[in-house]
Amino acid sequence: MSGLRGTSVIFDLDGTLVDSEPNYFEAGRQTLAAYGVPDFTWADHERYVGISTRETVADWKDRYALPATVEELLAATNRRYLELARSATRAYPEMRGFVELLAADGVPMAVASGSSPEAVAAVLTGTGLDAHLRTAVSADEVAHGKPAPDVFLEAARRLGASPADCVVLEDAAPGAAAAHAAGMRCIAVPYVPAQADSPEFATAGLLLRGGQREFTARTAYDWLVESAALS
């Protein structure tokens, strides 16, 4: 192994490894339309980037005074999302390349996501990323979603890694906050570049302000090696 011995890497899924936000937007738009909210926009959706589906639909229920229960909204949204995810989810090419670089070095890796376990499995299988990412934790499996650190700490536990030895890749401010709260280093790749100045991203060890347009597997790998040498 190169200079990454002892390092583990934990990936957020949606907006970090894969461009799933368009599918989440469409699933949410369809669900809200079915409950009488016809004008949900992409700008409305952006406020939910980085938080769990359960917390998203709970906010919808209050914000739009929906008659359905949180469980009903969650089930409806997840059902629509899974239909979209199975047919069309794109992995970011440079992220796939980064995963493959790390796999070649034997670096332990996990996914920690706000999506449901079924959605995580569907996306990883559909993109082929499950070949290298066999450990996955859903926010549904822990007490609190991001920005709480629970999902990252559980991923570290399953990898048998100390939080201080883990590096998180995240696209959203709540995820960067969760990584910091977990005591983990963070590579931040903002999904919404206009949010790059969010204070949560200031805690990241490497902030790629241009998001996926700026991210390369080699840049991230080289930073990881340098960071591991200093830690």
Side-chain angles (χ1 to χ4, degrees), residues 102-195:
L102 296 176
D105 264 0
V107 174
M109 292 180 283
V111 169
S113 173
S115 292
S116 69
E118 296 79 12
V120 173
V123 168
L124 291 177
T125 301
T127 57
L129 288 168
D130 60 335
H132 300 305
L133 296 168
R134 300 181 185 91
T135 300
V137 183
S138 161
D140 291 0
E141 300 176 86
V142 296
H144 305 287
K146 304 168 189 178
D150 303 29
V151 71
F152 289 137
L153 292 172
E154 176 61 16
R157 187 191 71 78
R158 293 187 191 181
L159 290 174
S162 164
D165 293 330
C166 293
V167 176
V168 168
L169 276 89
E170 259 291 350
D171 73 297
H180 184 64
M184 300 177 182
R185 287 164 285 156
C186 181
I187 297 174
V189 190
Y191 186 83
V192 182
Q195 295 177 5

Side-chain angles (χ1 to χ4, degrees), residues 11-190:
F11 291 89
D12 171 59
L13 182 63
D14 302 300
T16 299
L17 275 172
V18 300
D19 189 16
S20 51
E21 291 301 337
N23 289 341
Y24 267 111
F25 165 65
E26 182 59 19
R29 189 193 66 76
Q30 291 178 14
T31 296
L32 286 168
Y35 286 99
V37 182
D39 53 355
F40 187 71
T41 67
W42 177 259
D44 294 326
H45 171 76
E46 282 188 342
R47 69 165 60 96
Y48 300 104
V49 171
I51 68 172
S52 74
T53 311
R54 178 179 293 276
E55 288 163 311
T56 295
V57 301
D59 187 78
W60 290 348
K61 178 173 172 58
D62 293 340
R63 184 179 298 268
Y64 301 112
L66 302 178
T69 66
V70 168
E71 293 302 324
E72 288 168 342
L73 292 168
L74 184 63
T77 303
N78 279 338
R79 183 181 69 252
R80 290 182 170 93
Y81 174 75
L82 279 171
E83 291 172 0
L84 294 163
R86 289 192 177 106
S87 62
T89 301
R90 182 180 75 94
Y92 292 113
E94 286 291 329
M95 280 291 173
R96 186 188 295 277
F98 187 45
V99 169
E100 290 169 352
L101 277 175
L102 296 176
D105 264 0
V107 174
M109 292 180 283
V111 169
S113 173
S115 292
S116 69
E118 296 79 12
V120 173
V123 168
L124 291 177
T125 301
T127 57
L129 288 168
D130 60 335
H132 300 305
L133 296 168
R134 300 181 185 91
T135 300
V137 183
S138 161
D140 291 0
E141 300 176 86
V142 296
H144 305 287
K146 304 168 189 178
D150 303 29
V151 71
F152 289 137
L153 292 172
E154 176 61 16
R157 187 191 71 78
R158 293 187 191 181
L159 290 174
S162 164
D165 293 330
C166 293
V167 176
V168 168
L169 276 89
E170 259 291 350
D171 73 297
H180 184 64
M184 300 177 182
R185 287 164 285 156
C186 181
I187 297 174
V189 190

